[in-house]
Amino acid sequence: MTHRIHIEASSEPRPGLFYLLPKIHKPGHPGRPIISGIGTLTTGLSSCVDSLLKTYATNTPSYLRDTTDFLRKLQNIDNLPNNTILPTMDVEDLYTNIPHEDGLQAIRNTIPEDTTASQTADLCNFVFTHNYFQFENNLYLQISGTAMGTCMAPQYANVFMADLEQHFLSSHPLLSLLYLRYIDDIFMIWTHGQETLETFHRDFNNLHPTINLSLNHSTQEIHFLDTTVQITNGKLDTTLYRKPTDSYSYLHASSSHPEHTI
């Protein structure tokens, strides 16, 4: 199989621009590091890699596209036992903690070798090794992980996590009734008790030296994405979840904003 690739390249590329997005819903308001990749040397290439990875990144049992997809996959789940636990796990700083070689190997493991595995890994490596960015008056090169801001980052993270969890889940003696993941956010339905859940979490955390997962769980309700999931009489109920920082600000339908924004 061959792929025709067309890459738009800027005639005068610039370095990426580093900035922080404050996480106002977390204590201390830490910043989420972003590198704007618009107009950089790797802008077009990163977009190309994103399209190459997308098919494989989205074709895994745990993959979640969005909240609607999540709700659809919760349908028809009933007769849950009394000891059912709703756990969520979150990978801490996933993008910047994927070692290049491990991420590239995940691509080789995921994409069939007779298609574009080696070529896609090589293109990813070029993006990583040319990820220059500017902060104040200094230029830097990110040498670990991938930048949040380059087009390929979400699908690359999806491929890495899918490969990692496949190795773990295929060898673990106890599995969850349901296991779903939105990039670095994991939702499960666990029916084996809290002690085995903590063992599952510990074993998953010990799988990779730079990947650390936080664990939250409840026997009653849990928040995941923008949904609150509750257990009621052995069935799952869902409702909209809003973070405490939600200002409930909405655009009026007659606003002059672009239609997709409204």
Side-chain angles (χ1 to χ4, degrees):
M1 180 183 295
T2 59
H3 293 264
R4 183 182 297 274
I5 298 176
H6 176 71
I7 300 175
E8 294 286 345
S10 173
S11 59
E12 296 182 2
R14 62 167 179 79
L17 297 177
F18 176 88
Y19 62 96
L20 295 175
L21 287 179
K23 302 178 183 180
I24 60 174
H25 60 289
K26 292 190 175 182
H29 312 309
R32 175 183 286 111
I34 307 291
I35 298 177
S36 173
I38 299 174
T40 64
L41 176 67
T42 61
T43 298
L45 184 59
S46 183
S47 178
C48 170
V49 172
D50 175 70
S51 65
L52 291 174
L53 293 178
K54 187 172 184 179
T55 299
Y56 305 100
T58 59
N59 192 29
T60 59
S62 65
Y63 174 77
L64 283 175
R65 185 178 67 250
D66 50 27
T67 299
T68 301
D69 190 29
F70 175 58
L71 295 175
R72 185 183 302 114
K73 291 178 178 178
L74 292 185
Q75 290 179 346
N76 303 321
I77 294 179
D78 53 16
N79 298 320
L80 295 173
N82 292 332
N83 66 336
T84 298
I85 302 174
L86 299 177
T88 63
M89 294 192 294
D90 175 40
V91 183
E92 298 178 5
D93 302 321
L94 172 61
Y95 285 44
T96 55
N97 280 307
I98 304 176
H100 292 340
E101 189 50 46
D102 292 349
L104 297 177
Q105 186 59 51
I107 291 174
R108 299 185 189 102
N109 294 343
T110 302
I111 301 179
E113 187 56 45
D114 60 347
T115 55
T116 60
S118 295
Q119 296 92 327
T120 303
D122 289 343
L123 294 176
C124 282
N125 190 50
F126 185 91
V127 174
F128 296 149
T129 54
H130 293 78
N131 185 30
Y132 298 98
F133 65 92
Q134 181 178 351
F135 179 65
E136 295 183 337
N137 294 321
N138 298 314
L139 290 177
Y140 300 88
L141 174 66
Q142 184 172 346
I143 60 175
S144 178
T146 182
M148 183 176 290
T150 188
C151 187
M152 57 164 276
Q155 301 303 354
Y156 172 71
N158 264 325
V159 167
F160 172 78
M161 282 301 301
D163 184 69
L164 189 71
E165 69 193 13
Q166 180 182 3
H167 282 83
F168 176 68
L169 297 177
S170 63
S171 61
H172 202 273
L174 292 177
L175 298 178
S176 59
L177 180 66
L178 183 68
Y179 179 99
L180 301 172
R181 178 179 48 78
Y182 182 79
I183 307 180
D184 59 350
D185 293 320
I186 298 169
F187 173 88
M188 298 189 297
I189 299 177
W190 190 262
T191 58
H192 307 294
Q194 181 172 334
E195 184 176 347
T196 58
L197 172 62
E198 293 173 352
T199 300
F200 180 93
H201 173 242
R202 184 185 66 246
D203 292 345
F204 206 161
N205 254 344
N206 291 336
L207 184 64
H208 193 282
T210 65
I211 301 302
N212 185 45
L213 300 101
S214 60
L215 172 67
N216 291 306
H217 59 86
S218 172
T219 57
Q220 298 177 333
E221 70 172 32
I222 201 78
H223 305 308
F224 183 75
L225 302 181
D226 53 1
T227 304
T228 297
V229 183
Q230 301 170 321
I231 299 179
T232 306
N233 298 323
K235 295 184 178 181
L236 296 179
D237 290 332
T238 59
T239 187
L240 178 65
Y241 169 67
R242 293 184 174 92
K243 293 180 179 179
T245 52
D246 191 345
S247 62
Y248 297 89
S249 298
Y250 302 99
L251 293 174
H252 194 276
S254 63
S255 169
S256 59
H257 282 78
E259 182 176 351
H260 72 273
T261 303
I262 297 177

